[in-house]
Amino acid sequence: MIIAGAGSGKTRVITYRVAHLIRSGVDSFNILVLTFTNKAAREMRERINHICGPEAKNIWMGTFHSVFAKLLRVEADKIGYPNNFTIYDTDDSKSVLRAILKEMQLDDKLYSVNFVLNRISAAKNNLVGWQEYQNNEQIQADDFSSGRGMLGKIYETYAQRCYRAGAMDFDDLLFKTNELLKKHPEVLNKYQQKFKYLMVDEYQDTNFSQYLIVKRLAAVNENICVVGDDAQSIYAFRGANIQNILNFEKDYPDLKIFKLEQNYRSTQNIVNVANSVIANNKEQLKKNVFSEKETGDKIKVMRAFSDNEEGKLVADAIMQQRSTNGLKWHDFAILYRTNAQSRSMEEALRKNGIPYKIYGGLSFYQRKEIKDLIAYFRLTFNPNDEEALKRVINYPKRGIGDTTVDRIIVAADKNSITPFEVIIEANRYIEKAPASLHAFAAMIQSFQVITKNQSAYEAALHIAQHSGLLKDLYEDKSIEGLNRYENIQELLNGIKEFSEREDIEEKGLDVFMQDVALLTNDDKDKDKDADTVSLMTIHSSKGLEFPQVHIVGLEENLFPSQMSLNSRSDLEEERRLFYVAITRAEYKLTISYATSRFKFGTLISCEPSRFLDEIDAKYLELDFTAKPVSSGSFDDERNAWSRKADTFSKPKAATAPPVKTTSILAKAHVPSPDFKPSDTSNLQVGMQVEHERFGFGKVLTLEGNKPDIKATIFFKEIGQKQLLLKFAKLSIISGVE
C-alpha cells in the first residue's frame, strides 16, 4: 500500500512501478491498472508508452467502469445480456424511471426521479439486487416509514426494463461484474489467471462493489498494489468507503506500506496549514507531509459583509495579483462548496472583464442535439434500446405521435417482445399502423448494414444525413439553430479524428460509442488551454493544481455543510474536503467568508467556519478591509478574530483595495407607520418605493420576465441594490417622476 500525500508525485510512482514490472519480464497482458478518471489512465499510458514502447498497449488500464465494460462485452452472454448491450447514462435512467412512475400512477413529488435513482444506485453499489431489496426487512421498514413503500417494486420494474432493452446503467457495470464473478467461477478463474498484477489508484474512493471486485481478482496471487490518500477521501455521498483503505492491512496481513510524504506542489506554509486542519480528524493513517519548497506567503483570510462583496474582493485580488506578478488568468482558481456559490463570483468577474470558465457545467455530450444523434447510433447497434427508440422515433417529425408510441409499448409488453420487433411487424401488432413505422424500421436496418462496411466517420455522417437530423438543424437559421448545427459538425469532426487515430486498432462507430458512454467530465472539456480563471466545486478540483487558489464561503452551515453536522464521520469528510481545497494551491492561497448571505430570498447572518479556528494562527494573515458595522453576533465574530490576530505577526499591506460596504446595518431604517407591501406587477422605472430595511429609493431599471423580474433600485441610505420583485416586499410611494 502506497500512502501518497497531496502533491507527492503519485502518478509518477504508479507509472514507474508498471514500467519496472514490464522491464523485469512481466507480460504486459497480465497487468491490470484501475483508475478513477480516463484522464489519469491516459496520462499513465502515455508515460509508460514513452518508457516501455508498444508493450504499454497490452495493459488493461482505465477506469473501473471502462475496464469492466470491456470485460462484460466479452462475457455478458453468461448473465443473459447481449454483448452489444447499451450503456445508459443518467438521463436515460431518469427517462425510464419517469415512464415507470407514470405507468404506476405514483406521486412524482414523493417519488422524485432523483431520489428513486439515488436509492437504486446506493442499493447496487452495496450489491443489493431488487430481490434482496424487497426481502430485506430493514430496507422495507425504512421505505414504508417514509411513505415510499413502492420503491422495491419500482426497482424491480426498472431492472426488468433495462434487461429487456439490453441495457446497463453505470452502476450495473460493476453490479453485473460482481454477479458474473460470483455466479461463474470459471470466469473468475480466467481473469484471476490473466490479471496477475493489480494496481488500484485512488483506493480511498472505492465503494463496496469496487472493493469486492478487486478482492476477488486478487485472491489467488495476492499481488496487489493500491495507492491512495485517506486524507483525500471525499466521495462518501457516492458510496465511497474510507474503511477500504483504513482496513487494507486486515485483508492482507503481510502488507508492505510505503509513505510518500514530500509535497512537491505547495509552499511550506500551505502544507503546514493543510496539516494543522487534517490533524483534527480521528480516523486517519498517520503521515508527516512536508515541503522543501520556499516558506511562501502566509495564507490570507478575507472577510466580506455579503456574498456579492466577497465576489468583488476575490475579483479585485485576482486583478491585482495578475498585474503585479505578470500572471495569466489560468493561474487562478476559485473553489466553492456548492455550485450555487458561483453566481456572485461570476457576476464580479464579468463586471471586471475577467474571462472565466465553470467546470462541471453542461458538457458537450449532454446537449440535446448531440444526444439525439448518439441515440440514432445506439439504436443502430442495439435496436432493443427502448430509450434511444423513444428519443428519435419521431425526431425529425415523421408522423409517429405519442399515441402510436404508447400502442407500441403496450403491444411489446403484451407479447413479451421488444418495441422494435413490434415496429418491424407493425401491421400484425397494431391496428391501422402508420406507414411511417415501416419506413423507420427499414431506415434503422439500413444503418446496421452501413456500420458493418464503413468507417466510424462515414457511418456517422450517413446516419446524420439520412435520419434527417442534419437537414432539420441546417434549416433552423436562428442563432440557437446554427449553434446546434455546429455542435453536430463538431461531433462528426471528433469521430473523424477518432477514425484516423493510429494508437487503436478497432475504429468502428461501436467502439467510439463505448468511449463516449464512458467519458468523464475531465474528458469533455475541449478548450482546456484557454486563458481563463477556473471556477469549480472542490469535488471537481480533486487532482488539479493552480499557482493561486481562492477558497470562498468558509462559513458554518455552508462549509462545513449543515448536512454534515449530525455525525463525526460526516464532519471529518467535510474536513478532508477542505484539506483537498487547500492542497490545490501551489504558491498562494486565499480564504474568504461573508458575514451575511442571501438564502432563498432572505438575508441571513453567517458565522466563520470552525475550520478557520483549526488553522494555526501563525500561518495566517487577516485582511479585513471591508468592515461590517458592529451588531450582535458580528461583534462576537470580530472579537474572536481580534484575539486570534493578536498572536499574528504584523499583517502585510492589504492587496485588495478597500471596498465601500453596502451594509444594511449601516443605518437602521425604521419603516413608515403605514408601511404595507404593494402589488409590484406594474412597477415602472422612475417610481419611488420604500423597503422595510433598505429605506427609500428610486427604481432605476427593470429586467427579466414575470415572475422573475429584477429591479435595480438606488436607496438613499445604502446605495444601489438589485432585488427580485417577487421577494422584495416594496411599498410604492409615488408614480414616475
Side-chain angles (χ1 to χ4, degrees):
M1 178 165 67
I2 300 171
I3 301 169
S8 61
K10 168 174 63 70
T11 306
R12 179 182 172 86
V13 169
I14 297 173
T15 301
Y16 275 84
R17 186 177 191 274
V18 174
H20 174 72
L21 288 174
I22 294 172
R23 283 177 169 176
S24 301
V26 171
D27 190 335
S28 55
F29 281 99
N30 295 143
I31 299 173
L32 170 63
V33 181
L34 297 169
T35 67
F36 272 81
T37 66
N38 288 318
K39 178 186 172 188
R42 190 169 57 246
E43 286 179 1
M44 286 183 212
R45 190 181 294 280
E46 286 171 358
R47 293 190 197 183
I48 295 166
N49 187 56
H50 181 70
I51 299 169
C52 300
E55 279 286 297
K57 290 184 180 178
N58 304 327
I59 301 168
W60 275 47
M61 178 184 290
T63 64
F64 275 87
H65 291 93
S66 66
V67 165
F68 295 114
K70 182 178 176 182
L71 186 151
L72 286 168
R73 290 284 180 211
V74 179
E75 312 289 352
D77 60 303
K78 296 179 176 62
I79 52 173
Y81 277 82
N83 295 104
N84 64 338
F85 62 85
T86 296
I87 300 173
Y88 276 178
D89 67 11
T90 303
D91 284 350
D92 297 320
S93 296
K94 287 181 178 179
S95 181
V96 175
L97 286 171
R98 283 192 195 96
I100 292 170
L101 293 171
K102 186 177 178 182
E103 291 164 17
M104 297 175 72
Q105 298 182 325
L106 294 171
D107 181 353
D108 60 4
K109 290 186 175 63
L110 183 61
Y111 292 93
S112 76
V113 170
N114 286 337
F115 177 85
V116 174
L117 185 58
N118 288 338
R119 187 75 168 166
I120 293 173
S121 176
K124 287 181 180 177
N125 284 326
N126 285 291
L127 302 184
V128 177
W130 64 264
Q131 298 96 331
E132 294 92 338
Y133 190 99
Q134 293 180 359
N135 294 329
N136 186 299
E137 292 181 6
Q138 183 60 54
I139 291 175
Q140 291 303 301
D142 289 345
D143 286 352
F144 277 97
S145 66
S146 69
R148 299 184 179 95
M150 293 296 289
L151 279 169
K153 186 63 181 173
I154 297 170
Y155 185 4
E156 176 185 356
T157 310
Y158 172 74
Q160 292 174 343
R161 197 70 56 88
C162 290
Y163 182 75
R164 187 180 74 186
M168 296 188 196
D169 63 22
F170 258 43
D171 296 314
D172 280 329
L173 295 176
L174 303 181
F175 183 76
K176 296 298 179 184
T177 298
N178 268 300
E179 181 184 321
L180 175 72
L181 298 180
K182 182 180 180 181
K183 292 183 177 178
H184 296 273
E186 75 285 0
V187 175
L188 174 59
N189 182 59
K190 171 183 172 181
Y191 289 100
Q192 284 174 334
Q193 298 308 317
K194 176 175 175 54
F195 301 134
K196 293 178 180 175
Y197 298 86
L198 271 74
M199 287 199 70
V200 186
D201 189 18
E202 306 285 12
Y203 190 70
Q204 77 280 351
D205 291 332
T206 52
N207 61 29
F208 180 64
S209 182
Q210 292 161 331
Y211 162 79
L212 216 55
I213 291 172
V214 170
K215 195 164 188 285
R216 282 183 169 133
L217 289 176
V220 171
N221 298 299
E222 290 201 345
N223 196 335
I224 179 170
C225 173
V226 301
V227 186
D229 181 5
D230 57 297
Q232 295 186 68
S233 178
I234 59 173
Y235 293 114
F237 67 97
R238 289 186 194 164
N241 186 355
I242 192 174
Q243 298 303 323
N244 291 349
I245 193 166
L246 296 178
N247 296 330
F248 193 67
E249 194 165 4
K250 292 180 181 177
D251 289 332
Y252 305 97
D254 55 347
L255 178 72
K256 291 182 180 178
I257 298 175
F258 300 88
K259 296 181 181 181
L260 305 180
E261 296 177 305
Q262 182 170 354
N263 181 314
Y264 296 94
R265 175 190 301 152
S266 307
T267 62
Q268 292 180 37
N269 269 335
I270 292 170
V271 170
N272 289 336
V273 164
N275 287 344
S276 67
V277 169
I278 204 66
N280 291 276
N281 272 10
K282 290 187 178 179
E283 286 205 274
Q284 60 175 298
L285 299 168
K286 291 295 181 184
K287 54 187 172 297
N288 178 35
V289 179
F290 65 94
S291 170
E292 291 185 350
K293 293 182 74 172
E294 66 271 26
T295 304
D297 291 346
K298 289 189 175 184
I299 282 60
K300 181 179 289 186
V301 178
M302 298 195 302
R303 176 184 60 193
F305 172 66
S306 66
D307 47 354
N308 284 339
E309 188 177 78
E310 183 183 32
K312 187 179 187 313
L313 283 174
V314 171
D316 288 346
I318 289 174
M319 290 277 283
Q320 181 151 347
Q321 282 293 320
R322 179 175 180 269
S323 61
T324 303
N325 298 312
L327 301 172
K328 300 283 189 183
W329 293 122
H330 64 239
D331 292 328
F332 299 89
I334 301 173
L335 310 182
Y336 35 77
R337 178 65 182 85
T338 67
N339 275 308
Q341 291 170 257
S342 75
R343 181 201 58 78
S344 55
M345 297 297 136
E346 287 186 75
E347 205 169 278
L349 294 173
R350 278 200 303 269
K351 285 178 180 175
N352 281 274
I354 299 174
Y356 66 89
K357 177 178 174 60
I358 292 185
Y359 287 78
L362 187 65
S363 70
F364 180 79
Y365 287 94
Q366 294 301 317
R367 292 170 185 164
K368 180 187 179 299
E369 62 276 12
I370 301 300
K371 289 180 78 73
D372 288 339
L373 183 52
I374 285 177
Y376 272 109
F377 297 164
R378 282 168 41 176
L379 198 60
T380 299
F381 291 108
N382 179 10
N384 297 339
D385 188 338
E386 189 172 317
E387 287 309 299
L389 176 72
K390 288 193 290 188
R391 187 175 188 102
V392 301
I393 192 169
N394 199 38
Y395 178 71
K397 291 189 182 300
R398 50 176 65 90
I400 305 174
D402 290 345
T403 303
T404 302
V405 173
D406 288 343
R407 288 162 68 195
I408 292 168
I409 302 296
V410 169
D413 280 337
K414 184 178 178 182
N415 294 281
S416 298
I417 57 177
T418 67
F420 194 76
E421 288 172 315
V422 171
I423 294 170
I424 291 173
E425 297 188 73
N427 292 329
R428 175 182 172 187
Y429 294 106
I430 298 176
E431 189 176 335
K432 296 181 181 178
S436 50
L437 282 180
H438 178 73
F440 178 76
M443 179 182 70
I444 298 299
Q445 289 170 325
S446 73
F447 292 170
Q448 292 174 325
V449 174
I450 290 291
T451 55
K452 289 178 182 175
N453 303 313
Q454 304 285 348
S455 71
Y457 174 72
E458 290 166 331
L461 183 60
H462 179 93
I463 293 171
Q465 290 172 334
H466 289 79
S467 64
L469 187 147
L470 210 54
K471 180 173 180 286
D472 186 72
L473 292 174
Y474 182 75
E475 289 175 349
D476 181 356
K477 297 302 182 184
S478 67
I479 294 174
E480 293 78 14
L482 289 171
N483 285 336
R484 287 193 285 268
Y485 181 75
E486 287 171 1
N487 286 337
I488 290 293
Q489 292 295 346
E490 186 60 34
L491 174 62
L492 292 171
N493 290 341
I495 298 174
K496 179 79 169 172
E497 289 175 13
F498 171 83
S499 298
E500 295 173 353
R501 280 175 58 181
E502 294 180 359
D503 60 332
I504 54 172
E505 294 177 11
E506 297 178 10
K507 299 177 184 178
L509 187 56
D510 55 338
V511 180
F512 176 82
M513 285 295 298
Q514 180 166 317
D515 283 354
V516 167
L518 294 165
L519 278 176
T520 51
N521 279 335
D522 50 39
D523 301 298
K524 295 175 185 171
D525 298 318
K526 184 174 179 293
D527 198 9
K528 289 188 174 101
D529 298 323
D531 189 19
T532 55
V533 174
S534 300
L535 273 68
M536 67 190 79
T537 63
I538 300 166
H539 282 102
S540 299
S541 74
K542 187 154 180 288
L544 303 178
E545 56 188 37
F546 302 91
Q548 299 213 13
V549 169
H550 285 262
I551 309 174
V552 300
L554 258 289
E555 298 140 35
E556 281 294 298
N557 299 323
L558 180 57
F559 197 15
S561 160
Q562 190 169 8
M563 304 285 287
S564 71
L565 303 180
N566 297 325
S567 71
R568 191 187 77 201
S569 62
D570 289 344
L571 183 59
E572 292 201 350
E573 171 119 347
E574 288 286 295
R575 191 175 283 113
R576 291 193 294 270
L577 192 58
F578 187 37
Y579 177 87
V580 167
I582 293 168
T583 54
R584 297 313 92 200
E586 296 175 14
Y587 302 107
K588 188 169 185 63
L589 174 65
T590 305
I591 300 171
S592 59
Y593 68 96
T595 56
S596 65
R597 188 177 292 272
F598 273 97
K599 192 171 184 181
F600 304 117
T602 304
L603 192 70
I604 59 168
S605 59
C606 309
E607 295 178 21
S609 169
R610 68 186 68 193
F611 295 155
L612 290 171
D613 283 324
E614 294 173 356
I615 301 174
D616 193 323
K618 66 186 178 186
Y619 303 125
L620 296 179
E621 169 199 329
L622 294 188
D623 181 3
F624 285 3
T625 51
K627 299 178 182 177
V629 174
S630 65
S631 173
S633 61
F634 295 167
D635 278 338
D636 302 333
E637 173 260 323
R638 186 178 58 256
N639 291 337
W641 278 97
S642 296
R643 287 193 296 273
K644 192 160 194 169
D646 289 340
T647 65
F648 297 172
S649 58
K650 187 176 179 182
K652 300 173 187 173
T655 55
V659 177
K660 184 182 179 230
T661 180
T662 55
S663 168
I664 63 168
L665 300 172
K667 185 175 181 182
H669 172 71
V670 180
S672 303
D674 57 348
F675 178 85
K676 185 179 179 183
S678 304
D679 175 7
T680 55
S681 58
N682 294 313
L683 190 71
Q684 296 177 40
V685 173
M687 283 185 169
Q688 297 286 334
V689 295
E690 182 183 6
H691 187 278
E692 251 184 319
R693 290 174 294 173
F694 302 157
F696 299 99
K698 181 179 179 180
V699 180
L700 301 180
T701 64
L702 294 168
E703 59 183 88
N705 300 311
K706 294 180 181 179
D708 298 316
I709 295 176
K710 291 180 182 176
T712 302
I713 303 171
F714 183 82
F715 291 100
K716 294 176 183 176
E717 296 295 338
I718 65 163
Q720 192 168 301
K721 302 243 357 142
Q722 192 176 63
L723 304 174
L724 202 57
L725 285 187
K726 62 184 177 184
F727 296 125
K729 296 182 179 178
L730 297 170
S731 174
I732 299 174
I733 299 169
S734 66
V736 179
E737 290 184 346

